[in-house]
Amino acid sequence: MMGPAHSLSGAAAWLGVGAAAAAFDHPMPWPVLVVGALICAGAALAPDLDHKSATISRAFGPVSRGLCEIVDKLSYAVYKATRSTSDPRRSGGHRTLTHTWLWAVLIGAGASVAAVTGGRWAVLAILFVHLVLAVEGLLWRAARVSSDVLVWLLGATGAWILAGVLDQPGNGADWFFTGPGQEYLWLGLPIVLGALVHDIGDALTVSGCPILWPIPVGRKRWYPIGPPKGMRFRAGSWVELKVLMPAFMVLGGVGGASALGFF
């Protein structure tokens, strides 16, 4: 799928988690619901770090472009080193390492550890990166025509304000993980979810997605998981634009309203 659809699906997924949490008597404070949806929307772009033409490659200028090239080479090297004889040969790393459940879990766990051990500045950095990505994905038309600096300023300002709101008693800095010193440990959850939702979205397209790596499927270690061929679509096709994106918006609205107790 394309960047806007990935971001919408990420936001909708976290709002759905909020609804489920409320149903199981562990409701999210509204700042957690909002911040988590934004982080998840941004994290849903992150697996495309292995693609130099993806939305994320433009998000932070030369830094993100250079990082995409590094991750592409790393992903390709891992693919070559671990492919079975039944896995096809390929010339790049797109839709390999960063499109797996293992990558999603490691990135989310790393963010949680950074948030707990790195203090406020680590939390601000995590929020800033994902808010910028959320703007690039959800508001992509405006982001394309505006200055990168303006998007970065919006991300930095939003991160500072939202961290201040979350820090206030009862607003969710310690949501879900309530032990001493576990404030913001939950930040890894929307990051894991966003990456997995991205992978599931890509699995619906023609090429499929090797979500289960390194678990082999049949004789392939990089098996492209997906529905039957007749149910797949091309990225950017009318199915994505006219069916899935409106569905994500409706589901996100219903999930958010349920999470906030409106019904």
Side-chain angles (χ1 to χ4, degrees), residues 93-254:
H94 183 47
R95 286 201 187 183
T96 55
L97 178 61
T98 62
H99 286 69
T100 65
W101 70 270
L102 182 59
W103 176 273
V105 170
L106 290 176
I107 292 299
S112 288
V113 171
V116 171
T117 61
R120 183 173 180 80
W121 289 107
V123 170
L124 288 172
I126 293 169
L127 292 177
F128 167 71
V129 168
H130 289 90
L131 289 181
V132 169
L133 292 177
V135 171
E136 292 283 353
L138 298 175
L139 304 176
W140 65 278
R141 291 186 186 275
R144 290 282 180 87
V145 299
S146 65
S147 166
D148 286 342
V149 175
L150 291 178
V151 176
W152 300 339
L153 287 173
L154 178 60
T157 303
W160 188 272
I161 293 172
L162 291 173
V165 172
L166 287 167
D167 280 339
Q168 296 174 14
N171 276 3
D174 60 349
W175 176 78
F176 199 72
F177 299 100
T178 57
Q182 294 182 352
E183 293 82 6
Y184 291 110
L185 187 60
W186 62 270
L187 284 182
L189 298 178
I191 293 174
V192 173
L193 180 61
L196 291 177
V197 167
H198 177 111
D199 297 344
I200 293 170
D202 279 353
L204 299 176
T205 63
V206 173
S207 300
C209 187
I211 303 171
L212 295 181
W213 182 87
I215 301 170
V217 178
R219 293 185 298 171
K220 292 184 177 181
R221 186 167 287 117
W222 293 90
Y223 186 85
I225 299 295
K229 296 290 186 180
M231 298 176 64
R232 302 187 188 190
F233 58 88
R234 293 190 178 278
S237 69
W238 67 270
V239 175
E240 179 178 333
L241 300 176
K242 303 296 185 181
V243 177
L244 292 181
M245 289 180 68
F248 294 150
M249 286 187 271
V250 171
L251 291 173
V254 171

